[in-house]
Amino acid sequence: MAKKPTVASDWLCGCAGCHMSLLDMDERLVEIIQHVDLTATPITDLKQPPAAGVDVGVLEGAVNNSSNEEVAKRMRERCRVLVAMGDCAVFGGIPTMRNRGCKQAALRRAYVESESTVDGRVPDDPELAVMQEARPLDQVVEVDVYLPGCPPPADAIYLALKELAQGRMPELKGKDLDWH
Ligand code: SF4
């Protein structure tokens, strides 16, 4: 029997909504699973990092800190084709709202003016999510396929995975990315 293409997915800074849209494929998920081997994904117990030589990697979310950057680079190294799934991965989406200069006000409100403040000061922690600029995935690694939408429609994810599973690059048109 021919070896099935392998697929791995992971998320960076997002809301998990794109992976939920993946699950919205419903019965078609069963069909896709018959044609691919899902080697690692946060939506099952297969949470270990993907091994080298994965055919298709799917990443959700913007790159927000050094650990996101590590995950993005690891996926790029280990996956032949890399898919940016959802607006956060494609162009930065909602996480990039923090890049607009209201950072200090947000930090003061959370850490200084809040009733639950611990010592009345903003922590000096470079890994604090809001301290860093959020970036779209292709500012960190090369991306092969863009699947926009917040989240992308289940139909678009299905079409993209089906094409990739058959060794073709998906050519999604406007109507494929429309919810209605
Ligand atoms: Fe969530 Fe939308 Fe970002 Fe997907 S694109 S992770 S649904 S905010």
Side-chain angles (χ1 to χ4, degrees):
M1 199 170 101
K3 187 175 166 292
K4 293 195 271 184
T6 46
V7 175
S9 78
D10 210 337
W11 48 45
L12 307 172
C13 177
C15 74
C18 291
H19 273 79
M20 294 305 112
S21 191
L22 177 68
L23 294 178
D24 283 346
M25 282 165 39
D26 295 327
E27 288 105 11
R28 290 170 305 169
L29 196 53
V30 178
E31 188 208 314
I32 288 285
I33 293 299
Q34 287 169 357
H35 299 291
V36 302
D37 270 333
L38 202 53
T39 59
T41 172
I43 58 176
T44 66
D45 285 335
L46 305 166
K47 295 191 179 81
Q48 75 280 10
V54 174
D55 292 303
V56 180
V58 180
L59 271 179
E60 165 192 323
V63 179
N64 189 48
N65 56 26
S66 55
S67 64
N68 287 166
E69 203 168 315
E70 273 171 34
V71 172
K73 287 181 176 166
R74 187 171 62 218
M75 285 286 270
R76 180 65 277 181
E77 280 165 15
R78 298 180 181 184
C79 302
R80 191 173 52 78
V81 173
L82 188 62
V83 180
M85 178 166 67
D87 286 352
C88 296
V90 170
F91 66 87
I94 289 171
T96 53
M97 288 171 74
R98 71 168 57 108
N99 301 349
R100 293 188 184 173
C102 51
K103 208 176 289 182
Q104 287 309 323
L107 286 168
R108 273 196 67 75
R109 185 139 189 196
Y111 289 99
V112 181
E113 294 157 16
S114 152
E115 284 181 16
S116 58
T117 184
V118 177
D119 58 8
R121 64 181 185 86
V122 175
D124 182 19
D125 179 356
E127 284 297 300
L128 203 60
V130 76
M131 302 293 265
Q132 313 213 354
E133 295 262 301
R135 289 167 288 166
L137 187 57
D138 65 3
Q139 284 193 13
V140 177
V141 293
E142 192 176 339
V143 168
D144 302 299
V145 177
Y146 293 88
L147 254 181
C150 181
D155 288 350
I157 301 174
Y158 171 77
L159 280 174
L161 287 180
K162 194 171 168 199
E163 289 292 283
L164 289 166
Q166 292 172 357
R168 295 189 292 262
M169 291 301 277
E171 286 184 30
L172 297 172
K173 310 230 169 20
K175 68 177 174 47
D176 300 323
L177 297 164
D178 196 346
W179 274 110
H180 305 291

